[in-house]
Structure formats: C-alpha cells, structure tokens
Amino acid sequence: MPVRTAIVQATIGLHARPAALFVRAVHETGLPVTISRDGRPGVDARSLLEVMTEDFPFGCAVELAVAPDAIPDRCSPGDVENALDSLRVLLESARSR
C-alpha cells in the first residue's frame, strides 16, 4: 500500500483553513486518500468533516495512504507516489499554517 508519513505543521493542527487546504489538495489528486495517526483506522481525507473531527493537532505524525485496490485504473503507481509526496509536503510546509 502506498504510504507517506508527515508531521502536521499548522499551528492549529488540521482545523479550519489548514484542513480545508489539505482536503482541497486531496480532491485535486483524484485519489481515495486516507489519513490516520497513532495506529487508529484511517479516515477519508477527501472529507473536511472527517479530517476535522479526527483531530490532527500541531506536531502529530500522520500516515497518508491509498489502498491498492482503490487506485483508479487511470493512475500509475508513480502517480500515486507523487500525489502522496505532494500531500506530505503540503502538511509539512508553511503553506498549511
């Protein structure tokens, strides 16, 4: 399963604007990305409500993943890897603050 780990750098965590920016970026990938932390089951990263409800505070490590059986046929493994890399960079950048 394609997976990336990121550290949430938004000072308020994934709430309000940072969460909306992240969810919008996930939608742009066209992939069914999940986000999780602390070994919990992943939530749908395309859902602003699920992301904000799960509570991803500043400094927490999150895991971004796409289940292999959920990858659309139009996407290559490289496309998925690049999408997860870009989402990781977003979560760890000043843009998410």
Side-chain angles (χ1 to χ4, degrees):
M1 172 167 18
V3 175
R4 290 294 182 280
T5 300
I7 305 298
V8 175
Q9 292 300 310
T11 54
I12 62 169
L14 284 183
H15 293 283
R17 183 169 170 75
L21 288 171
F22 172 70
V23 169
R24 189 173 309 124
V26 172
H27 273 280
E28 289 172 3
T29 70
L31 295 168
V33 177
T34 60
I35 183 170
S36 63
R37 71 180 181 114
D38 300 332
R40 298 178 188 174
V43 298
D44 187 349
R46 299 170 295 183
S47 168
L48 182 59
L49 182 60
E50 287 189 39
V51 170
M52 289 179 62
T53 301
E54 187 63 20
D55 188 30
F56 299 101
F58 168 77
C60 81
V62 298
E63 184 174 278
L64 306 171
V66 179
D69 59 340
I71 298 172
D73 291 335
R74 62 176 165 65
C75 293
S76 72
D79 293 336
V80 176
E81 298 289 338
N82 290 338
L84 290 176
D85 283 337
S86 69
L87 294 171
R88 179 189 54 78
V89 168
L90 175 63
L91 288 175
E92 293 185 340
S93 75
R95 215 178 120 203
S96 70
R97 293 179 193 182

